[in-house]
Amino acid sequence: MPHIYYDFFAGGGMAGFGLGSGWQCLFANDIDAKKAASYRANHDGGKELLLKDVAKVTPDEIPGMADLVWASFPCQDLSLAGKGAGLAGKRSGMFKPFWQLVRDLHAAGRGPRMIAVENVYGAITSNGGRDFATLAAAFSGLGYRFGAVVVDAVHFLPQSRPRFFIIGIRGDLAIPDLCIQETPSSVWHPPALIEGQNLLSAAAKSRWVWWKLPVPACRNVALADLIEENPKGVTWHSAAETQYLLDMMTDLNRKKVEAAMQLGTRKVGTIYRRTRLDEAGHKRQRAEVRFDDVAGCLRTPSGGSSRQTIMVVEGETVRSRLLSPREAVSLMGLPETFILPERYNDAYKLAGDGVAVPVVRHLAEAIFEPVLKRNRLALVA
């Protein structure tokens, strides 16, 4: 029988692609109609998806009992690029009604066996670590043994995308020894997380575990492997448009392009437009390029600067254009069969708001599935 999961803030259902065929989604929820359309297009109609504000969802609308609750709640107020509202913000504050649903399920005897909450790295440090402590207290208060990791999608995909995951196991379930370790790991537990854990309450610390994840094999996919020569949804820039980007670069970034030209081979870089202070202290928009075979972190297309541009250099030839929708979802680990929204911004937002597919699979193999296997007899009983 498949493992059962709920997918909150589901978006296009990327968590389900990561969990794989051994899992069945019994309930999904999102408030965005466009994302819901993509979910349904890519999940056999998505009858399990409820399009509704999570704050208005009731336990009666959620069937059965979940082996896993997955929740990628809104990150805007926790992001380093946000305004610092944290869990008190309008968007990231959606964690609170979500967690109330979890509490209600527990009260009804349907507490999920495992809960995984995903967000940006800034969730660890926002509000001086108080938001992280709030998340920890939520897990601890319901009796979960829990811990957190930071996993960068760059281990699996050519995209720099560090994300924070806090994972809890219901208190009556055993955790296999292979899933935990005595001390933090330099790969998965950065100094900010270790410091945040040190500041937790005694009650939360008593339920804390250091999750043990295997280090994945070296990634064998580079950014250039995903770049399309004839993309759909975008067009190559004119020579004047490419020159405009070059003119927006500082000397340091222009030298990166010149170095790529001297190689004489095909090099693919990515560009973000950022506002920087010039020598006179005036704000200017700059084009910053990287040629390390890794894309910058995909974001939502709230403005032109958030849309990632690629630059392809082959000898003296330099071309540029926006990242295509297909390239964006490929950078999230979605298959070529994934059905894209028709509008560029909708597709880019779907990718930028999503969770990297192979990261979910890694967590499933290292934690979720071993825990369920260890407790199989108890769960059947």
Side-chain angles (χ1 to χ4, degrees):
M1 292 180 62
H3 305 310
I4 300 300
Y5 74 99
Y6 303 155
D7 191 355
F8 285 88
F9 313 100
M14 296 183 194
F17 280 91
L19 291 172
S21 60
W23 293 77
Q24 178 187 350
C25 186
L26 205 59
F27 176 82
N29 172 245
D30 206 287
I31 194 174
D32 189 311
K34 292 178 180 178
K35 290 179 181 177
S38 291
Y39 183 103
R40 292 187 171 112
N42 289 283
H43 290 271
D44 299 321
K47 293 180 180 179
E48 69 278 8
L49 176 66
L50 176 64
L51 179 63
K52 191 174 186 179
D53 184 340
V54 68
K56 297 179 180 179
V57 176
T58 66
D60 291 342
E61 294 174 293
I62 304 174
M65 179 184 289
D67 292 312
L68 171 69
V69 165
W70 182 277
S72 295
F73 71 98
C75 67
Q76 292 91 336
D77 299 309
L78 296 166
S79 170
L80 297 178
K83 296 182 179 180
L87 290 179
K90 180 178 180 181
R91 291 167 292 188
S92 296
M94 287 296 100
F95 173 78
K96 295 178 182 178
F98 155 71
W99 196 259
Q100 184 58 52
L101 274 175
V102 173
R103 291 169 60 90
D104 292 343
L105 289 172
H106 268 270
R110 296 195 287 140
R113 295 175 176 116
M114 299 179 291
I115 304 174
V117 170
E118 181 254 0
N119 215 279
V120 293
Y121 186 96
I124 303 171
T125 57
S126 66
N127 283 327
R130 290 188 294 275
D131 289 331
F132 174 58
T134 296
L135 295 174
F139 278 81
S140 175
L142 284 180
Y144 283 81
R145 295 184 67 192
F146 70 99
V149 291
V150 172
V151 183
D152 194 334
V154 79
H155 289 292
F156 311 92
L157 300 162
Q159 182 195 171
S160 174
R161 191 180 187 84
R163 286 295 184 267
F164 160 79
F165 301 86
I166 184 166
I167 300 166
I169 310 299
R170 207 174 62 196
D172 60 318
L173 300 182
I175 301 177
D177 291 341
L178 61 87
C179 295
I180 55 177
Q181 55 193 42
E182 293 296 323
T183 57
S185 159
S186 61
V187 179
W188 312 116
H189 307 114
L193 179 57
I194 297 171
E195 181 179 354
Q197 190 269 350
N198 284 333
L199 297 175
L200 296 182
S201 69
K205 277 187 179 179
S206 70
R207 295 190 173 279
W208 179 273
V209 297
W210 293 108
W211 293 119
K212 182 178 182 180
L213 302 179
V215 177
C218 291
R219 172 172 49 84
N220 58 9
V221 178
L223 174 63
D225 298 329
L226 304 182
I227 299 305
E228 304 169 297
E229 182 60 33
N230 300 300
K232 293 181 180 179
V234 294
T235 57
W236 290 96
H237 289 159
S238 67
E241 289 170 320
T242 298
Q243 186 60 50
Y244 177 71
L245 285 172
L246 293 169
D247 292 340
M248 289 175 63
M249 293 182 182
T250 61
D251 289 343
L252 175 63
N253 283 277
R254 282 295 297 269
K255 287 178 180 178
K256 293 180 185 178
V257 178
E258 292 166 2
M261 294 171 69
Q262 292 172 7
L263 293 174
T265 58
R266 182 173 180 263
K267 290 291 292 181
V268 177
T270 58
I271 297 172
Y272 268 125
R273 299 187 188 189
R274 306 184 193 277
T275 300
R276 303 295 191 197
L277 296 178
D278 63 15
E279 296 80 1
H282 300 133
K283 289 184 178 180
R284 290 186 58 184
Q285 194 174 54
R286 293 293 194 182
E288 299 181 354
V289 66
R290 58 191 292 174
F291 285 100
D292 57 357
D293 288 324
V294 174
C297 183
L298 293 180
R299 305 170 184 173
T300 57
S302 56
S305 62
S306 294
R307 301 170 185 171
Q308 201 159 170
T309 298
I310 64 166
M311 179 165 279
V312 179
V313 179
E314 296 179 86
E316 295 296 316
T317 302
V318 181
R319 296 181 295 161
S320 62
R321 62 168 171 80
L322 289 176
L323 192 74
S324 77
R326 179 59 61 190
E327 291 160 349
V329 297
S330 294
L331 283 169
M332 297 301 293
L334 288 165
E336 291 185 5
T337 54
F338 186 84
I339 301 170
L340 292 166
E342 292 185 6
R343 293 184 67 250
Y344 178 90
N345 275 10
D346 294 342
Y348 202 96
K349 182 179 181 181
L350 190 74
D353 270 348
V355 60
V357 168
V359 173
V360 180
R361 177 91 301 265
H362 196 61
L363 294 174
E365 291 176 350
I367 301 175
F368 308 151
E369 290 164 2
V371 167
L372 293 177
K373 182 178 180 180
R374 170 67 176 78
N375 293 279
R376 183 175 297 159
L377 293 179
L379 297 180
V380 172

